[in-house]
Amino acid sequence: MVTKLAWRNIWRNKRRTWITMASILFAVLFGSFMEALQQGAWGNMINNVVNFYMGYGQIHQKGYWDEQVIDKAFTLSPQQLQEIEAIEEIQGVVPRIESFGLVSTTGMTRGALVVGIDPALEQSLTKLEDRIVAGAYLEKADKSVLVAEGLAKILKLGVQDTLVIISQGYHGVNAAGKYLIKGIVKFGSPELNKQMVYLPLPVAQQFYGAEGLLTSIALKIEDQDDIDAGLAAIGEVLDTSAYEIMKWDALLPDLVQAKSLDSAGNYIVYFILYSIIAFGIFGTILMMTKEREYEFGILIGIGMRRFRLSAIVWLEIVLLGMLGALMGIVVSTPIVWYFNKNPMRFSGNYADLLEKFGFEPIFPTAFDPKIFVTQALIIFIMTVLLALYPWFKIRRLKPVEAMRD
Amino acid sequence: MDVIKTKGVTKIYNPDKIPVYALNGVDLLIEEGEFTAIVGPSGSGKTTLLNIIGGLDRPSGGAVMVHGQNIAELSDNQLIDFRKDYIGFVFQAYNLIPVLTAQENVEFVMLLQKRSKTERQQRVAELMDAVGLSDKMDRRPSELSGGQQQRVAVARALAPKPTFILADEPTANLDSKSTENLLDIMTRLNKEENMTFVFSTHDQRVIDRARRVVTLVDGEISKDERRD
């Protein structure tokens, strides 16, 4: 009868019950939507940045990331590569050899990042071909190069012109070569636009005197949830004392720091949101407790122990909280799903800036059940704690005074 | 046999500020099977005395013995259990639980006593029959008239098989017919089951039926009249 009594009491004042549940529902909805928007925006940003060049993970020779020199190039056996490609969570491996060099034309020299790529594999990760603004993309058998648009402008070069590259090759050999420009690629980042030069991988390996060697393998992982499992599986294939297998957050610490700073700012917003919600819910509990003091007095008067009465009232509020939180999940799910499939679009200068960097100016929500469950749980726990107020009130209640009131 | 015995009971409100003496040394002995009305003007201490006898309030001084047990010495939980098992209450405003049906209201205290379902159902049926509401078992208080609610309250007070019933102005909100009806039920229970009733009342109809009338004035017993 305790549960029956609690349940009936909930529906005794229907308007109050619906208002309380609606406040919990909206709390879960706002919390979930904010969290989904924040996670979605960061997920999109990370996805953009990571797929721009880095990949969600990279393989190098041990120590390469701290000292990025060509002498730390490495090789993997065909069997090792095959085993890595066979890992379920890894959708592709993108080999590269890269180092800095000097690029020249008549009377002018500039520093550049000279990268050897497998054109098809690179396209699958970074969509480099989409950045072509003149000429054509590389083929695997080409002996020509792609030059970033800003660099080409400085050197006053165009498609079909010749570019001379000089660098220090593997173990100190002189690296020098003369290549025809096949295409011009444009990057939104002015920094990259002034320094990127791409060669087909075998040509670059020959240029650096590092046949068969790579400086990095970027990993294509489509589902962010698979990153850890994918990298762990690579750790089973490779000798981790000889190779470093790095996750995107270690490759891009600045991005991680920016995300942490943003999250810290959001905690303040959450705190304010939860405080407003908590006061709302507490107001209802306070009102309900006051309204029912008379009845509490009767129940204690006719022989109900305070503990049991408190448990009923607590159960009522907990049931209310549970219903509100569940309804919050039910309402939040389609809304967040809709904005995941139909992301909000930026407009104006910010959209132009993102597009310039090659990013789609959208703001998708993350659709992760964990978000709804966490938000619902936070609000529910808050309600459970606030529901302790009637315990204190009932503990101190004097039946005679309560009944007189 | 003594059911209730008070010895020098006092009740002082606001003892530290402006003390108000609600009861001033009340000595009262109520025996089993009595049908007693406590009367007196407003503010004379009737309700206070009933609350103290019923363990709803604690005296400032003196002793309240119920079946030889000084209830002033009981802890809060012991007092609650004591009320549940020994005392039936009938309040002026009926005080039924609004979300429970008439039947569930009567059953409620027995549930607190952990009585079996069969026993509870049997007792509810008996009592609802005794108060003439067998056909209103599933009605909620809001669906019953004042008189019917008070009869349910009487059935609820009797449900735990208490040793006495305390009724605070039980007819104050009832019309004449309902009052007569309620008094008939109480008189019958008193006679047939030897149930002890103690009322506080202003109502002459209750006073007329009482076999003992205790008059309180300014927190003291001024008159104690037996009508055997």
Side-chain angles (χ1 to χ4, degrees):
Chain A
M1 197 181 282
V2 167
T3 321
K4 196 194 278 182
L5 190 60
W7 181 252
R8 286 188 193 167
N9 273 327
I10 289 176
W11 298 108
R12 185 164 151 190
N13 188 335
K14 289 192 181 73
R15 187 183 295 174
R16 187 179 59 204
T17 298
W18 282 115
I19 289 172
T20 311
M21 284 203 298
S23 67
I24 295 169
L25 180 157
F26 281 114
V28 174
L29 175 63
F30 287 137
S32 300
F33 195 71
M34 264 185 66
E35 179 77 13
L37 212 54
Q38 195 217 2
Q39 281 194 22
W42 273 106
N44 193 45
M45 170 72 83
I46 289 163
N47 199 38
N48 278 330
V49 172
V50 160
N51 287 332
F52 188 74
Y53 190 72
M54 289 288 180
Y56 277 114
Q58 283 197 4
I59 302 168
H60 318 119
Q61 184 182 296
K62 195 92 180 168
Y64 173 79
W65 197 248
D66 290 336
E67 193 192 358
Q68 295 177 30
V69 291
I70 191 95
D71 286 349
K72 294 203 170 170
F74 67 101
T75 185
L76 291 183
S77 67
Q79 195 201 337
Q80 283 175 315
L81 265 176
Q82 230 170 19
E83 282 180 45
I84 292 171
E85 281 167 341
I87 293 168
E88 202 188 333
E89 291 85 0
I90 309 290
Q91 278 74 47
V93 292
V94 182
R96 290 177 190 146
I97 184 162
E98 61 185 56
S99 187
F100 284 93
L102 294 171
V103 290
S104 315
T105 182
T106 318
M108 205 176 299
T109 301
R110 280 283 180 278
L113 181 62
V114 181
V115 188
I117 57 165
D118 179 311
L121 294 175
E122 194 66 34
Q123 170 65 9
S124 74
L125 179 71
T126 62
K127 306 276 182 293
L128 186 61
E129 191 176 356
D130 302 354
R131 298 183 185 278
I132 295 279
V133 289
Y137 190 55
L138 294 175
E139 302 288 333
K140 200 167 187 175
D142 281 344
K143 305 277 184 212
S144 45
V145 296
L146 294 180
V147 179
E149 186 237 8
L151 183 61
K153 206 175 267 179
I154 293 166
L155 297 173
K156 297 189 176 73
L157 293 172
V159 176
Q160 297 301 320
D161 286 339
T162 302
L163 181 75
V164 174
I165 311 174
I166 305 162
S167 181
Q168 182 179 299
Y170 189 59
H171 286 168
V173 299
N174 282 328
K178 194 171 76 173
Y179 304 95
L180 203 65
I181 297 172
K182 188 177 180 185
I184 307 288
V185 283
K186 188 176 180 180
F187 293 97
S189 153
E191 202 182 332
L192 288 177
N193 209 34
K194 281 180 192 166
Q195 65 168 342
M196 297 305 291
V197 173
Y198 291 95
L199 289 86
L201 189 61
V203 177
Q205 285 170 330
Q206 195 182 23
F207 168 75
Y208 285 122
E211 278 83 359
L213 296 179
L214 305 169
T215 51
S216 67
I217 293 177
L219 301 163
K220 190 183 174 199
I221 302 173
E222 275 164 8
D223 189 343
Q224 290 187 31
D225 292 338
D226 288 342
I227 300 171
D228 290 333
L231 298 186
I234 295 173
E236 301 287 314
V237 175
L238 298 180
D239 173 7
T240 49
S241 64
Y243 300 99
E244 57 192 19
I245 304 155
M246 295 177 74
K247 196 177 162 181
W248 69 270
D249 53 2
L251 298 166
L252 296 162
D254 293 349
L255 192 63
V256 176
Q257 201 177 7
K259 188 184 174 193
S260 306
L261 273 172
D262 187 54
S263 300
N266 269 2
Y267 289 142
I268 297 169
V269 177
Y270 280 127
F271 177 76
I272 294 168
L273 177 74
Y274 292 147
S275 301
I276 294 168
I277 294 160
F279 277 114
I281 297 170
F282 186 64
T284 312
I285 293 173
L286 208 67
M287 206 163 62
M288 181 272 282
T289 310
K290 188 72 196 159
E291 263 177 30
R292 290 172 57 192
E293 264 181 28
Y294 179 78
E295 178 190 329
F296 296 159
I298 296 163
L299 288 167
I300 294 169
I302 63 172
M304 187 173 221
R305 282 199 176 189
R306 291 171 198 271
F307 181 84
R308 196 160 189 192
L309 176 59
S310 305
I312 292 179
V313 179
W314 185 80
L315 185 66
E316 280 173 41
I317 300 166
V318 167
L319 280 172
L320 253 178
M322 208 184 287
L323 281 173
L326 284 175
M327 280 164 58
I329 292 177
V330 170
V331 173
S332 309
T333 306
I335 293 175
V336 172
W337 181 83
Y338 176 82
F339 284 103
N340 176 268
K341 297 295 168 200
N342 306 281
M344 286 184 265
R345 279 196 169 267
F346 288 111
S347 58
N349 292 341
Y350 193 55
D352 294 343
L353 186 72
L354 286 173
E355 276 175 340
K356 199 172 146 192
F357 275 81
F359 300 162
E360 207 182 345
I362 55 169
F363 215 151
T365 52
F367 189 74
D368 182 352
K370 265 191 283 184
I371 295 174
F372 309 113
V373 174
T374 307
Q375 290 300 323
L377 217 59
I378 289 171
I379 307 289
F380 175 66
I381 290 169
M382 210 163 73
T383 312
V384 168
L385 292 176
L386 290 170
L388 291 176
Y389 170 75
W391 284 79
F392 295 110
K393 197 73 193 166
I394 289 169
R395 203 163 60 109
R396 288 182 304 189
L397 188 100
K398 291 182 178 161
V400 172
E401 284 173 17
M403 284 192 276
R404 191 162 47 223
D405 293 341
Chain B
M1 183 187 160
D2 299 352
V3 177
I4 302 161
K5 186 177 178 184
T6 68
K7 188 83 185 152
V9 168
T10 58
K11 180 70 184 177
I12 309 165
Y13 293 111
N14 294 327
D16 302 327
K17 295 174 187 171
I18 305 160
V20 177
Y21 291 82
L23 294 177
N24 203 357
V26 174
D27 296 329
L28 182 67
L29 183 74
I30 291 175
E31 292 182 341
E32 194 177 357
E34 279 192 12
F35 201 77
T36 304
I38 298 173
V39 301
S42 293
S44 59
K46 302 185 294 292
T47 300
T48 304
L49 180 61
L50 234 61
N51 285 339
I52 286 173
I53 292 171
L56 290 170
D57 204 356
R58 291 181 186 272
S60 307
V64 182
M65 313 294 286
V66 177
H67 284 295
Q69 164 84 54
N70 187 356
I71 61 169
E73 288 171 353
L74 299 177
S75 71
D76 187 57
N77 273 339
Q78 285 172 329
L79 203 52
I80 289 173
D81 290 345
F82 187 83
R83 288 198 297 266
K84 176 186 75 191
D85 295 326
Y86 293 97
I87 310 170
F89 291 96
V90 179
F91 302 98
Q92 180 180 336
Y94 328 130
N95 293 357
L96 299 175
I97 302 165
V99 292
L100 299 182
T101 62
Q103 176 186 349
E104 287 166 343
N105 263 289
V106 176
E107 193 183 350
F108 191 74
V109 187
M110 288 189 282
L111 202 81
L112 297 177
Q113 289 179 315
K114 297 187 171 71
R115 302 264 184 99
S116 72
K117 195 175 178 183
T118 322
E119 192 185 350
R120 289 192 325 252
Q121 283 174 342
Q122 199 181 334
R123 181 93 178 130
V124 168
E126 272 171 30
L127 290 167
M128 291 301 278
D129 185 47
V131 297
L133 290 172
S134 298
D135 57 335
K136 304 275 190 300
M137 301 259 258
D138 296 326
R139 300 274 179 91
R140 290 208 183 173
S142 58
E143 297 164 334
L144 297 171
S145 69
Q148 288 168 336
Q149 284 187 59
Q150 197 61 300
R151 277 145 67 191
V152 175
V154 171
R156 178 182 67 181
L158 291 164
K161 297 185 177 166
T163 51
F164 62 96
I165 303 266
L166 294 176
D168 186 15
E169 309 259 9
T171 57
N173 293 334
L174 301 184
D175 57 30
S176 301
K177 196 179 165 199
S178 299
T179 299
E180 288 303 328
N181 199 325
L182 186 77
L183 289 172
D184 285 345
I185 292 166
M186 288 180 167
T187 312
R188 194 179 73 236
L189 288 166
N190 173 251
K191 282 184 180 158
E192 289 174 6
E193 297 186 19
N194 201 30
M195 176 61 69
T196 311
F197 280 88
V198 181
F199 303 89
S200 76
T201 189
H202 280 112
D203 192 333
Q204 194 55 47
R205 291 164 297 189
V206 181
I207 298 167
D208 290 344
R209 297 252 193 147
R211 285 189 277 123
R212 182 181 173 192
V213 178
V214 177
T215 307
L216 272 181
V217 176
D218 295 334
E220 291 177 15
I221 295 176
S222 66
K223 196 171 161 190
D224 190 350
E225 177 192 1
R226 289 178 187 271
R227 300 164 172 178
D228 297 328

